[in-house]
Amino acid sequence: MHTEEIRTVIGRLGALVAEHYVFPEVGAEVANRLAAATAEGRYDDLQAPEQLAERVTADLQLGNGDKHLRLKFHPDGPPDETDPVAEEAHWRRLAERDAGGMARVERLDGNVGLLEIRPLLYDPTQAGAALAAAMTLLASADSLLIDLRRCVGGSPDQVAFVCSYLFDAGEPIHLQDLVCPGDGTTRQFWTTSYVPGPRFGGTKPIWVLTSSTTFSGGEELAYDLQQLKRAVVVGERTRGGAHPRQGFKLHDHLEATVPVVRSVNQISGTNWEGTGVVPDIDVPADEAFTEAYRRAVAA
């Protein structure tokens, strides 16, 4: 990348943060800081897009620690979120490749079910069939382990769909809201009264495995189930990213990811931003499965 191109990317990034960031005053501060750094030539020597992304991301997160606020490098190019058709095709291809995020589905000795989700990025239109197939296998287990130790993102719609399988049929349960300060709107997320195939149900025990890598949508699933007292969280404190982001293509290999809404859990009235989800049983991530499985067999 040449200097003029770099400065154009940073200028557009600053404008997007100022316009869309979930906390407008912080967005304005970040944009001013980027403009000052650009004027000082802080980024002019970074010809490789991945190097630019690394340095700018550090500057974006300075003081606020928002891990969703990034200049993200994509070796194969970012999705163009301004083109709904192309974006949908992009995510559908990834969902097919990743089996909708259902990384591992297994029935363990002791009639314990295991579901590893990695990631939750895809919404139910892209990954609902994969989840339904997984839950069909797991529905008759006596207990369930949900492994989110390598789950680094997710769709709130898919989180709500997963939760729908983990409660009994009946009145939907209000999980969380996404509040957009920019336009004053609020979007609610509830479990659904209907799911394809059998439910695991709302009474059998669930353990959720977490690590310091678990992030964003993975954290939301752990947090929602923990707050509703539907699952016991076993493992490490998670990374602490609760502000869903929107992507903006800035370059052939660079995407601005800007948090645009704030999560509000219906039990706690807050979220896990900056603090992470605190496990109920604090053990190293590589011991979480053994600990949870031991408890599941004994339950």
Side-chain angles (χ1 to χ4, degrees), residues 138-296:
L138 298 171
S140 61
D142 293 329
S143 55
L144 180 63
L145 310 182
I146 302 177
D147 189 348
L148 303 176
R149 288 176 294 177
R150 290 188 283 178
C151 187
V152 295
S155 154
D157 292 290
Q158 185 72 346
V159 171
F161 195 42
V162 173
C163 288
S164 298
Y165 280 94
L166 306 179
F167 292 91
D168 294 328
E171 289 297 317
I173 296 169
H174 193 177
L175 301 170
Q176 70 151 353
D177 294 339
L178 291 182
V179 179
C180 181
D183 59 14
T185 59
T186 296
R187 184 183 174 199
Q188 298 182 343
F189 290 83
W190 297 69
T191 60
T192 61
S193 56
Y194 165 78
V195 294
R199 296 173 185 260
F200 181 75
T203 57
K204 295 182 287 186
I206 299 172
W207 286 265
V208 174
L209 282 54
T210 60
S211 74
S212 59
T213 299
T214 308
F215 187 57
S216 190
E219 293 179 284
E220 187 205 333
L221 180 55
Y223 191 82
D224 287 350
L225 294 175
Q226 183 187 59
Q227 291 297 316
L228 288 163
K229 301 189 184 306
R230 182 63 191 93
V232 176
V233 178
V234 183
E236 297 172 345
R237 184 189 293 257
T238 61
R239 283 182 66 194
H243 298 150
R245 39 74 73 194
Q246 184 174 347
F248 303 88
K249 184 176 180 179
L250 300 181
H251 174 271
D252 288 344
H253 296 287
L254 294 172
E255 177 190 28
T257 84
V258 183
V260 296
V261 291
R262 177 170 55 89
S263 301
V264 180
N265 179 269
Q266 289 308 295
I267 303 296
S268 69
T270 184
N271 59 49
W272 60 95
E273 176 67 30
T275 63
V277 180
V278 179
D280 301 299
I281 302 170
D282 191 347
V283 297
D286 60 1
E287 299 176 15
F289 172 80
T290 300
E291 179 65 23
Y293 182 47
R294 180 184 67 80
R295 290 171 180 265

Side-chain angles (χ1 to χ4, degrees), residues 91-121:
W91 289 113
R92 195 167 293 279
R93 284 194 302 271
L94 292 183
E96 291 172 356
R97 183 197 67 185
D98 290 344
M102 305 300 113
R104 183 181 176 192
V105 184
E106 190 172 349
R107 296 290 290 268
L108 306 174
D109 289 346
N111 201 27
V112 176
L114 172 64
L115 173 61
E116 181 181 358
I117 304 177
R118 180 167 36 97
L120 274 162
L121 288 173

Side-chain angles (χ1 to χ4, degrees), residues 41-65:
R42 173 168 168 76
Y43 311 117
D44 290 352
D45 62 328
L46 301 175
Q47 297 182 0
E50 58 268 40
Q51 294 176 327
L52 181 65
E54 182 177 358
R55 184 176 295 180
V56 171
T57 295
D59 289 350
L60 287 169
Q61 296 176 2
L62 187 65
N64 59 74

